[in-house]
Amino acid sequence: MLAEARMKAERVERETERVLREHEEGREEIHAHMEHIRSSLAALTGRVAGPEQPEQPEE
């Protein structure tokens, strides 16, 4: 029973690591896409693109 429990724990650990890798890859893809969108919007509006700049009121 103990050996079986260890094997199951190892399988769960491997599966968890796989899911975490997949989520990290997805996060990186989304981040890259958002950077592209931010740059595109900056080019269209003439504003400077930067990472998460607070919006300033127009004067």
Side-chain angles (χ1 to χ4, degrees), residues 36-47:
H36 172 71
I37 290 171
R38 187 177 290 121
S39 296
S40 296
L41 288 172
L44 290 170
T45 62
R47 293 184 179 185

Side-chain angles (χ1 to χ4, degrees), residues 18-30:
R18 182 188 65 77
V19 169
L20 288 173
R21 277 193 310 273
E22 288 176 358
H23 285 204
E24 179 64 21
E25 290 170 2
R27 188 195 69 78
E28 289 172 0
E29 288 176 12
I30 290 169

Side-chain angles (χ1 to χ4, degrees), residues 3 12 16 20 31 37 43 49-50 53:
V12 169
T16 300
L20 288 173
H31 183 72
I37 290 171
Q53 294 178 352

